[in-house]
Amino acid sequence: MATEHFQRGQVIFRENDKSKEAYFIVSGLVEISINTAHGVQSLAQIGPGEIFGEMGMIMDRPRSATATALENTTLETIAEEEFEQQIIQRSDRLHVYLATLFERIRRTDLLLTTTTNATVPLVTTKPKPAKEPVFRVKIRSHYDETGFDHPAVEKTITKLPFRIGRAYFDTAVSSLARNDLSIEEPHPYQLSRNHCEIDFEHGHFVLRDRGSKLGSWVNGEHVSVDAGCITSLLKTGENKIIFGNADSPHRYTITIEELP
């Protein structure tokens, strides 16, 4: 395999380009995006150990999305004849690949479901500051206020997207779960296994639904497929979050603090 280096902001390939190879991320961060009726839509941000670009190569079809390096990134290129040996026959890479593939399928399905009726938050373009701001993001649970018997959660988010969902305790697929915060819950469920995620796009922190059944409430706004809004902007300061119905016990505060 050959190794390639991309600078921050450099396009690795564009939508409709010819597919010649797949990529394994050695270091860095890559955004996968597509053009929609609402503008450019980010599908995923992927990091070290993950694989992308293989579907077009395998199916001999043009690229279905654009890949851009969000920071200085090092990639290993994988030709079609190397794919089985480098991915399928290596359990460490195969495991990561399957988990990434399942997440990609979920997000693509959600995007197709909401293309015609989902609203996209209006983001006003602002002049780029001389110095990029640095933020601290924390999430804290409030089960003590609801009387729900559940372990307290208080943590600083250091990885984006930060994925939240119901814990996989009753099946054998927990190893493929893509959740950074897994919450145990008895039936009847308020949380979906792949419920939502916290992310940063176009200069704003957002909470994005991942195709959950009941959605979430963000500062009083319902975010769900049925509500026609799958992304909500998070403000600097405290954000009141409810996972599930408005009376759900899964109540959290997401605090965004800009550091000096």
Side-chain angles (χ1 to χ4, degrees):
M1 293 184 294
T3 299
E4 293 189 50
H5 303 278
F6 293 87
Q7 300 299 311
R8 178 182 179 183
Q10 187 175 354
V11 174
I12 300 163
F13 58 72
R14 297 185 185 277
E15 197 171 342
N16 296 318
D17 281 354
K18 185 176 180 180
S19 302
K20 298 179 180 179
E21 58 272 308
Y23 296 91
F24 176 83
I25 304 177
V26 178
S27 64
L29 187 66
V30 175
E31 180 180 55
I32 308 298
S33 62
I34 62 172
N35 290 310
T36 74
H38 298 293
V40 176
Q41 172 72 48
S42 176
L43 293 180
Q45 293 183 11
I46 54 180
E50 299 194 78
I51 298 153
F52 66 98
E54 79 291 346
M55 293 306 296
M57 177 191 71
I58 293 172
M59 299 175 67
D60 193 25
R61 297 178 60 182
R63 299 291 189 190
S64 59
T66 296
T68 306
L70 294 182
E71 56 188 52
N72 293 345
T73 298
T74 299
L75 306 175
E76 290 181 353
T77 59
I78 306 171
E80 183 176 356
E81 60 271 16
E82 299 175 316
F83 190 77
E84 181 173 352
Q85 178 185 4
Q86 295 296 331
I87 305 300
I88 305 302
Q89 295 180 9
R90 292 183 56 172
S91 59
D92 56 336
R93 290 190 175 184
L94 178 61
H95 184 276
V96 174
Y97 172 60
L98 290 176
T100 302
L101 181 61
F102 294 160
E103 183 66 26
R104 191 185 307 163
I105 291 171
R106 270 193 297 272
R107 296 200 64 175
T108 301
D109 182 67
L110 178 61
L111 183 64
L112 291 172
T113 301
T114 58
T115 294
T116 57
N117 61 359
T119 59
V120 176
L122 178 62
V123 178
T124 302
T125 302
K126 297 180 180 180
K128 191 173 182 179
K131 180 181 178 182
E132 292 289 342
V134 178
F135 297 93
R136 179 187 292 124
V137 183
K138 293 184 177 181
I139 183 168
R140 180 166 64 95
S141 63
H142 296 280
Y143 289 114
D144 54 332
E145 299 174 4
T146 63
F148 193 64
D149 184 15
H150 208 76
V153 172
E154 185 167 1
K155 63 192 306 182
T156 299
I157 295 173
T158 58
K159 168 189 174 294
L160 294 174
F162 183 84
R163 299 178 174 120
I164 301 166
R166 193 173 82 244
Y168 287 71
F169 62 88
D170 57 348
T171 72
V173 298
S174 59
S175 60
L176 296 179
R178 299 292 291 169
N179 291 326
D180 301 290
L181 174 60
S182 293
I183 304 170
E184 294 186 4
E185 181 185 36
H187 190 272
Y189 303 124
Q190 289 284 337
L191 287 158
S192 296
R193 286 175 172 167
N194 304 286
H195 197 86
C196 65
E197 63 188 12
I198 300 164
D199 205 352
F200 188 82
E201 62 180 24
H202 308 303
H204 295 265
F205 286 94
V206 299
L207 186 142
R208 183 186 303 116
D209 189 78
R210 295 170 67 199
S212 67
K213 183 177 180 180
L214 298 178
S216 305
W217 291 83
V218 180
N219 298 322
E221 176 189 19
H222 194 199
V223 179
S224 72
V225 175
D226 290 342
C229 177
I230 61 171
T231 302
S232 179
L233 298 179
L234 298 173
K235 62 185 180 181
T236 302
E238 291 191 348
N239 298 267
K240 300 299 183 182
I241 312 296
I242 304 173
F243 300 131
N245 288 325
D247 58 355
S248 167
H250 299 293
R251 295 170 183 264
Y252 286 74
T253 294
I254 297 173
T255 304
I256 300 174
E257 177 187 3
E258 184 171 349
L259 301 179

